[in-house]
Amino acid sequence: MHASLCDFLSDIFHNAVESGADSIRVEVRENDSVMTYMVEDNGKGMSEEIRRRVTDPFYTDGLKHRKRKVGLGIPFLMQAVEAVSGSFSLESEEGRGTKVSYSFPLEHIDSPPKGNLVSTFLSMISFPGAYRLVIHRSLAVDGKSDAYEVDRSELEELLGSFEDVGALQLLRTYLQSQETALDEIRNQVG
């Protein structure tokens, strides 16, 4: 079950990796009233028919989870977005990749909590596989803004293997420092 906005993000990211993508871009944008997410990959993409079918909770290709008879990731996301009058977009072209974008109004009583972005980003960066991942995170509140961007390839070059506990601890500290800088802007206006 998806308990936070980070759960949806993680699910869409894993779909991108499992699509065979070697390049993935994730954007998390926050302003005074909305959290907007985008995951774009250059994986296998989907035909128009498959794109229509992935919105059906009773559809699965039977490959990702062989014993599962339903595919709930996208349908759960769409249901959650619809419940709070957010937005959802799915663009995909077979052989070229997929782009999923969605947003949630922060003040809506039924919007899920944000979740832990630091842990989510850490999990995404350290997830096994040969892919380039760029994460762009931004905050714009009350006329003030800041952003940071991390590139998995550059981090791996600097820190070494993500299987090393020391590298993961350094990465967590770095990501937390970036989120703390954004929190300072939020606190200045709040």
Side-chain angles (χ1 to χ4, degrees), residues 92-103:
S92 189
E93 186 178 333
E94 201 166 12
R96 296 192 54 107
T98 301
K99 179 179 178 181
V100 177
S101 302
Y102 55 97
S103 66

Side-chain angles (χ1 to χ4, degrees), residues 5-44:
L5 298 178
C6 284
D7 293 334
F8 289 115
L9 180 61
S10 183
D11 189 43
I12 300 300
F13 165 77
H14 284 101
N15 288 345
V17 172
E18 291 166 357
S19 77
D22 63 8
S23 181
I24 302 167
R25 180 166 179 84
V26 172
E27 293 183 9
V28 178
R29 299 182 184 278
E30 180 179 356
N31 66 30
D32 295 315
S33 59
V34 177
M35 289 289 293
T36 302
Y37 301 82
M38 187 277 301
V39 178
E40 185 172 21
D41 69 64
N42 69 346
K44 66 182 178 183

Side-chain angles (χ1 to χ4, degrees), residues 80-87 103 105 108:
V81 163
E82 186 177 308
V84 298
S85 300
S87 67
S103 66
H108 196 289

Side-chain angles (χ1 to χ4, degrees), residues 31-92:
N31 66 30
D32 295 315
S33 59
V34 177
M35 289 289 293
T36 302
Y37 301 82
M38 187 277 301
V39 178
E40 185 172 21
D41 69 64
N42 69 346
K44 66 182 178 183
M46 294 177 261
S47 67
E48 191 168 327
E49 177 187 348
I50 298 296
R51 200 169 50 250
R52 279 193 305 270
R53 294 181 77 187
V54 297
T55 63
D56 178 352
F58 300 104
Y59 169 76
T60 180
D61 63 7
L63 300 174
K64 183 175 177 184
H65 303 284
R66 295 197 186 279
K67 294 183 180 183
R68 191 182 295 170
K69 301 295 182 213
V70 294
L72 298 173
I74 295 288
F76 271 166
L77 173 57
M78 291 175 64
Q79 180 183 28
V81 163
E82 186 177 308
V84 298
S85 300
S87 67
F88 174 83
S89 169
L90 171 65
E91 303 169 31
S92 189

